[in-house]
Amino acid sequence: MGKIQKKGQAGAAKNYITRTRAVKKLQISLPDFRRLCIFKGIYPREPRKKKKVSKGSTAATTFYYTKDIQYLLHEPLLAKFREHKAVAKKIAKALGRGEAGDAARLEKNLVPKIKLDHIIKERYPTFTDALRDLDDALSMLFLFANLPSSEHVPAKTIALCQKLCHEFEHYVITSHSLRKTFLSIKGIYYQATIQGQDVMWLVPYRFVQRTGGDIDFRIMGTFVEFYTTLLGFVNYRLYTSIGLVYPPRFNADLDAQGAELSAFQIEGKGVAANGDVSHGDVSETANPEAQAVADRIAAAPVTEEEQPEDTQVVPAAEEENTETIDKFEAVAPDADVLPQPQASSAEVAALFAPYTFYLARETPRAPLEFLLKAFGCKRVGWDSTLGDGAFTSNESDPSITHQIVDRTAIATEDASETPDGAAPKVQWPRSTMPGRTYVQPQWVWDCINQGKLLRPDLYAPGAELPPHLSPWVKPKKGEYDPNLPLQAQELEGEREAFEDAEEVASEGEAEESDDEVDEDEGMESDASVEAGEGMQVDGSEDEEEDDDEPQKPADEFDGFDSDAESDVSEGEAARLQHQRELEAEATGKTLEPEVETTKSKNAAVRKKAERKRKEEQDERDRQKMMLSNKKRKLLKRIEYGSNKRDVEAENLRRKKRKLEKAKAAAEAV
């Protein structure tokens, strides 16, 4: 007979341990326990049967795996935490005795310094694992880099986050690894492909941040401490992989003047100590050995003997034409749509290379500078008020090809001064440089996401911008696509139904306004009528005028005001038409053809579409009857999601239709 086990000593009760017991077992304080768990990547666990684990108790309790806590018993940081606790007691005693000097000496010499290098190597055995976990690290560090300094967030931590973030951005610029970006409500999303891994991070906008009191900055500070160590390792590995010196040379004076990215000077490993390499020369010095071999081969002259006989000299123009991307066009309207080839990464990386950009002072300089340099532009200038490090701060520099502005249109004349109160002339800006292209900031983001230069006139200052869509969300079949016209997305009869509904609504508003006018006129006439004035008398002129008008016979029908006639079936309409033809033939009159109005056309199209949809629905119902009960329920869930998507798309199309109608009415005025 086996040994009888007691309750709570095996199974789930042994696999889990409460937080209180874990802290007592490790013999550290609760803040140190939280800090250690964050460093080691150990998080609370929720048991399946919580009542068995807690021995019948229903109180809210935090559980951990027992094996995780046993794993922490051998952590070297436990000794550091205990040393820190002992030194803290000595400092507290010195301060209690009023010995501030001894307390400062103890804090400077005896407080142990915690290093997380071994934890980074332990949690990320390969560099690919570190890249996969880089999303949260970058988002957190970019957030702290934009926070104001306070008692919870020291300036030293903010400066370290800014330094590491700028170093990472320099690698992205040098390697041309940035792929997509998106402006959202939360901030600016970036996605880069680094050594085959997609890394996405979020950078908040530079607004005035107000940190609330409900935020636990101790926990966030612990994450920042871990992520700064991680990003330092990652930056070192990334820089050395492309032959750059890490850490890059940092100019504190330029950084104090707001240079930001320009305060770092990137250089290769083979550059002389006294040679200052600008960021534009990084590609030439990233791998000096390979670059020297390439330069030697390119500089070597090719003799006639070495040149093959069948080699033909191709003009430069033809060579450029061969590098362009071919486009596959359909030869027939019903042909299949062929996938178009995408631009190569080298072409996308040099998207803005031939141009010189100037950023107006109202534009966000930091993200625009990063994006433009990441896609090949080496000449980015801005106003001197935005900081130092610009290629040029002179707005009238003739070498500037594009200027990014974000100002509203300026009215050059007052409406009161214009003749007949005409609308004032709108012109932006007050003075433009000839030969320069003026665009809004969204043009840069849309060009990057589409991998080509878009039409700048669509992004002109004061123009209504195209929709800025997420590059990670692709429109599916049946969903609303803002890039396509409404005619290509509308269902059959949808526009006609919308026009009829708008017409009915406008008629109802007109009738309500007429009723209000009649009531007001009646009230005014009652108030202004005096004795014997405005009364109807037999034989008056008004009655004689009414008698002269021909009255309609009682048996003549004038038609319904509603859409009842449109609801008549086609068979009934054909019967009535045949009856009219017989009556006209008997009386000898010619039957005048009925004038087909827009309302009748819409009704016919709508009825045809409804009939077609009803037939399709009946066919689907017949097919459902052949399915099993399980598959029918699954199909019902699928149809529920599809119908919900269709309703959302229809609502968006209706909004777009109303906006287009309002815009057309405003342009007509």
Side-chain angles (χ1 to χ4, degrees):
M1 183 176 178
K3 184 179 179 180
I4 300 176
Q5 294 182 349
K6 294 183 179 180
K7 186 178 180 181
Q9 293 184 357
K14 190 175 181 181
N15 294 335
Y16 293 91
I17 185 173
T18 62
R19 188 178 64 182
T20 304
R21 289 176 55 197
V23 170
K24 289 181 180 179
K25 191 171 186 178
L26 295 175
Q27 296 181 1
I28 56 176
S29 62
L30 182 59
D32 289 341
F33 174 75
R34 289 174 177 168
R35 192 178 179 192
L36 184 60
C37 288
I38 291 173
F39 289 156
K40 300 288 287 185
I42 296 174
Y43 300 98
R45 306 293 179 176
E46 185 69 20
R48 290 185 178 179
K49 298 180 180 180
K50 196 172 182 180
K51 200 170 183 180
K52 287 186 177 181
V53 176
S54 57
K55 300 178 182 180
S57 176
T58 57
T61 311
T62 304
F63 293 95
Y64 292 86
Y65 282 142
T66 305
K67 289 185 177 180
D68 291 342
I69 302 303
Q70 290 177 349
Y71 175 66
L72 291 178
L73 288 172
H74 308 285
E75 175 56 42
L77 287 180
L78 282 176
K80 295 289 184 180
F81 289 156
R82 289 164 184 159
E83 290 179 13
H84 189 279
K85 185 177 182 181
V87 174
K89 287 183 178 179
K90 293 180 181 179
I91 294 174
K93 289 181 180 179
L95 291 175
R97 293 193 298 265
E99 299 173 353
D102 293 344
R105 180 180 53 82
L106 290 173
E107 184 178 3
K108 181 179 180 181
N109 299 328
L110 298 182
V111 172
K113 294 183 180 180
I114 297 176
K115 291 185 178 181
L116 308 178
D117 301 356
H118 67 286
I119 295 182
I120 299 296
K121 296 176 182 178
E122 176 186 311
R123 290 186 61 177
Y124 307 107
T126 63
F127 187 63
T128 304
D129 296 331
L131 291 177
R132 289 173 182 168
D133 202 25
L134 204 59
D135 297 359
D136 295 337
L138 289 174
S139 300
M140 178 69 78
L141 295 182
F142 272 98
L143 171 63
F144 269 73
N146 290 289
L147 286 179
S149 60
S150 61
E151 58 179 353
H152 304 292
V153 186
K156 187 177 180 180
T157 302
I158 296 174
L160 178 59
C161 293
Q162 290 176 350
K163 177 178 177 293
L164 292 172
C165 291
H166 289 326
E167 290 175 356
F168 179 77
E169 287 181 340
H170 269 295
Y171 169 79
V172 173
I173 292 172
T174 307
S175 61
H176 301 292
S177 56
L178 191 64
R179 294 293 177 265
K180 298 176 183 178
T181 177
F182 177 62
L183 297 166
S184 70
I185 299 177
K186 298 180 181 179
I188 305 175
Y189 283 93
Y190 299 96
Q191 182 182 1
T193 303
I194 302 174
Q195 298 187 8
Q197 300 295 325
D198 290 336
V199 180
M200 182 186 297
W201 68 96
L202 174 66
V203 179
Y205 296 115
R206 293 194 174 182
F207 298 143
V208 177
Q209 303 288 344
R210 295 182 179 178
T211 55
D214 56 344
I215 301 175
D216 193 346
F217 281 98
R218 292 182 301 174
I219 295 178
M220 295 183 68
T222 305
F223 277 103
V224 169
E225 184 179 359
F226 175 75
Y227 287 149
T228 50
T229 308
L230 171 62
L231 190 56
F233 273 92
V234 171
N235 286 346
Y236 171 76
R237 181 69 178 270
L238 292 177
Y239 271 62
T240 54
S241 64
I242 59 175
L244 298 179
V245 176
Y246 186 84
R249 189 178 300 177
F250 177 69
N251 192 330
D253 296 335
L254 288 176
D255 184 68
Q257 297 173 7
E260 297 185 358
L261 280 175
S262 301
F264 293 83
Q265 294 180 351
I266 312 300
E267 56 187 13
K269 292 184 178 180
V271 179
N274 57 353
D276 294 335
V277 180
S278 62
H279 179 73
D281 299 332
V282 170
S283 59
E284 300 179 1
T285 59
N287 196 342
E289 293 81 9
Q291 187 65 32
V293 174
D295 293 341
R296 198 163 50 245
I297 294 174
V302 180
T303 61
E304 296 181 358
E305 297 178 357
E306 296 177 354
Q307 187 174 0
E309 296 179 357
D310 57 348
T311 305
Q312 298 179 359
V313 180
V314 182
E318 295 184 7
E319 291 181 357
E320 292 179 358
N321 293 335
T322 57
E323 294 177 358
T324 58
I325 300 177
D326 297 332
K327 293 184 179 180
F328 303 115
E329 298 181 357
V331 295
D334 298 335
D336 296 336
V337 179
L338 299 175
Q340 301 295 333
Q342 300 293 330
S344 63
S345 58
E347 293 177 355
V348 176
L351 188 64
F352 303 124
Y355 309 110
T356 302
F357 285 84
Y358 186 84
L359 310 179
R361 62 176 180 271
E362 71 275 1
T363 57
R365 173 213 150 183
L368 285 174
E369 180 190 3
F370 171 59
L371 291 175
L372 293 173
K373 289 184 176 180
F375 285 87
C377 182
K378 301 177 182 178
R379 301 173 300 276
V380 183
W382 53 79
D383 192 87
S384 57
T385 57
L386 297 179
D388 202 356
F391 171 75
T392 178
S393 58
N394 184 15
E395 187 175 357
S396 60
D397 192 335
S399 63
I400 299 173
T401 59
H402 292 70
Q403 183 168 348
I404 302 177
V405 296
D406 195 13
R407 304 173 189 170
T408 56
I410 301 173
T412 57
E413 297 181 8
D414 191 5
S416 60
E417 298 178 359
T418 56
D420 301 331
K425 296 180 180 179
V426 177
Q427 182 182 0
W428 193 100
R430 298 184 184 275
S431 61
T432 57
M433 297 293 294
R436 185 181 299 181
T437 303
Y438 291 84
V439 291
Q440 298 188 47
Q442 184 182 327
W443 180 78
V444 177
W445 273 267
D446 291 350
C447 289
I448 291 172
N449 292 335
Q450 298 192 24
K452 61 181 181 180
L453 295 177
L454 302 177
R455 290 171 47 188
D457 58 314
L458 299 177
Y459 299 85
E464 184 178 352
L465 295 173
H468 180 61
L469 306 177
S470 173
W472 297 283
V473 178
K474 301 299 180 184
K476 300 178 182 178
K477 185 178 179 181
E479 292 184 351
Y480 174 73
D481 188 0
N483 291 325
L484 295 178
L486 280 176
Q487 290 77 7
Q489 305 182 66
E490 289 176 338
L491 301 177
E492 186 178 359
E494 183 179 347
R495 177 174 288 272
E496 287 75 11
F498 173 78
E499 292 177 355
D500 291 346
E502 289 290 320
E503 186 177 351
V504 171
S506 60
E507 289 178 358
E509 292 176 359
E511 290 177 0
E512 291 179 1
S513 61
D514 293 342
D515 294 341
E516 292 177 359
V517 171
D518 294 341
E519 291 178 2
D520 295 340
E521 291 179 354
M523 294 175 62
E524 291 177 0
S525 60
D526 292 343
S528 61
V529 167
E530 297 181 359
E533 182 177 321
M535 299 174 65
Q536 295 289 340
V537 184
D538 291 339
S540 63
E541 294 180 359
D542 295 338
E543 188 175 354
E544 291 177 0
E545 291 179 359
D546 294 339
D547 292 340
D548 294 340
E549 295 180 359
Q551 297 181 356
K552 294 182 181 180
D555 57 347
E556 186 174 343
F557 181 64
D558 208 13
F560 291 109
D561 293 336
S562 62
D563 293 339
E565 188 177 354
S566 63
D567 297 334
V568 181
S569 64
E570 291 185 355
E572 183 68 16
R575 190 187 66 79
L576 292 175
Q577 179 67 14
H578 182 63
Q579 181 68 23
R580 294 193 193 98
E581 292 177 356
L582 292 178
E583 292 177 357
E585 185 179 355
T587 55
K589 298 180 180 179
T590 51
L591 184 64
E592 297 181 358
E594 295 183 356
V595 180
E596 190 176 11
T597 60
T598 306
K599 190 174 183 180
S600 60
K601 290 181 181 178
N602 294 345
V605 173
R606 189 175 69 252
K607 285 166 55 179
K608 183 179 178 180
E610 290 175 356
R611 192 184 312 111
K612 184 179 179 181
R613 282 194 288 269
K614 188 175 183 301
E615 293 175 356
E616 294 176 353
Q617 183 63 33
D618 294 341
E619 181 63 25
R620 283 196 296 269
D621 294 340
R622 285 192 293 269
Q623 293 176 358
K624 284 183 190 177
M625 295 174 62
M626 307 299 295
L627 298 176
S628 61
N629 190 24
K630 183 178 180 181
K631 293 183 178 180
R632 196 181 297 119
K633 290 181 179 179
L634 178 61
L635 181 61
K636 186 177 180 181
R637 289 196 294 268
I638 295 174
E639 288 181 344
Y640 173 79
S642 178
N643 294 334
K644 185 178 180 181
R645 179 197 63 196
D646 295 341
V647 169
E648 292 177 355
E650 185 178 354
N651 292 334
L652 291 173
R653 289 196 296 268
R654 187 182 296 110
K655 290 181 180 179
K656 180 69 176 293
R657 214 176 283 115
K658 289 181 179 180
L659 290 174
E660 289 183 352
K661 185 178 179 181
K663 184 178 179 180
E667 291 177 354
V669 173

